[in-house]
């Protein structure tokens, strides 16, 4: 379990290194139970999270002490009047229709905003379908 905690922290540190300094607001797509949202909120970012799972919403709100907004919705169906400096999809893009997800990201990104997708991708060039990140 200790190694799992260390691995999760390395993951957070790694993806955090890709967030440009100009970013202040983040839409966390596929928010899970709030680990990323808590980490980013502690770093001073304004976070709004979205996910369609009512059970995850309960855990998310417990884990974030109801301090981070959670919108219960599929990303493809999200309808809010807010734009963000960055849309984050951390291990969630495979659950989202690609064309709809990109349209939504364009809609919710400010001009010159960023889309950060962090996931595991199959890289056939590695041989045997190895994973690339």
């Amino acid at each position: 379990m200790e190694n799992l905690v260390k691995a999760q922290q390395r993951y957070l540190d790694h993806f955090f290194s890709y967030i440009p300094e100009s970013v202040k607001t983040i839409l966390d797509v596929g928010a899970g139970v709030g680990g990323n949202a808590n980490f980013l909120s502690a770093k001073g970012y304004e976070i709004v999270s979205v996910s369609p799972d009512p059970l995850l919403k309960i855990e998310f709100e417990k884990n974030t002490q109801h301090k981070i907004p959670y919108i219960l919705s599929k990303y493809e169906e999200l309808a809010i009047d807010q734009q963000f400096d960055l849309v984050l999809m951390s291990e969630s893009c495979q659950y989202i229709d690609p064309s709809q997800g990109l349209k939504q990201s364009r809609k919710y990104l400010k001009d010159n905003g960023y889309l950060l997708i962090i996931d595991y991708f199959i890289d056939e060039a590695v041989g045997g379908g190895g994973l690339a990140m």
Side-chain angles (χ1 to χ4, degrees):
M1 192 57 139
E2 180 182 332
N3 286 336
L4 180 63
V5 171
K6 288 178 184 177
Q8 183 64 28
Q9 187 60 51
R10 281 195 311 271
Y11 175 84
L12 291 169
D13 292 339
H14 182 70
F15 94 66
F16 176 70
S17 73
Y18 286 93
I19 298 175
E21 287 185 30
S22 61
V23 169
K24 305 291 182 227
T25 59
I26 297 175
L27 178 60
D28 179 16
V29 177
V33 297
N36 291 346
N38 272 333
F39 176 81
L40 293 168
S41 179
K43 296 280 187 190
Y45 296 101
E46 181 183 321
I47 311 294
V48 173
S49 296
V50 59
S51 186
D53 190 321
L55 295 176
L56 287 179
K57 181 179 193 268
I58 293 166
E59 292 305 310
F60 179 96
E61 290 177 338
K62 271 196 270 184
N63 291 335
T64 62
Q65 300 173 343
H66 297 267
K67 293 180 181 176
I68 299 171
Y70 182 104
I71 300 168
L72 186 63
S73 172
K74 285 183 156 186
Y75 187 49
E76 297 92 334
E77 298 170 0
L78 183 65
I80 59 174
D81 285 331
Q82 191 172 356
Q83 288 189 308
F84 301 85
D85 299 318
L86 184 137
V87 170
L88 172 65
M89 293 183 190
S90 175
E91 299 183 45
S92 61
C93 71
Q94 72 269 28
Y95 302 107
I96 298 166
D97 175 85
S99 63
Q100 281 298 107
L102 290 174
K103 283 180 189 176
Q104 287 292 79
S105 295
R106 188 175 297 123
K107 178 179 175 180
Y108 291 113
L109 282 171
K110 294 178 182 177
D111 290 340
N112 299 313
Y114 300 91
L115 172 60
L116 180 55
I117 299 173
I118 302 163
D119 219 311
Y120 295 94
F121 300 93
I122 293 177
D123 185 349
E124 298 296 332
V126 173
L131 295 176
M133 193 161 126

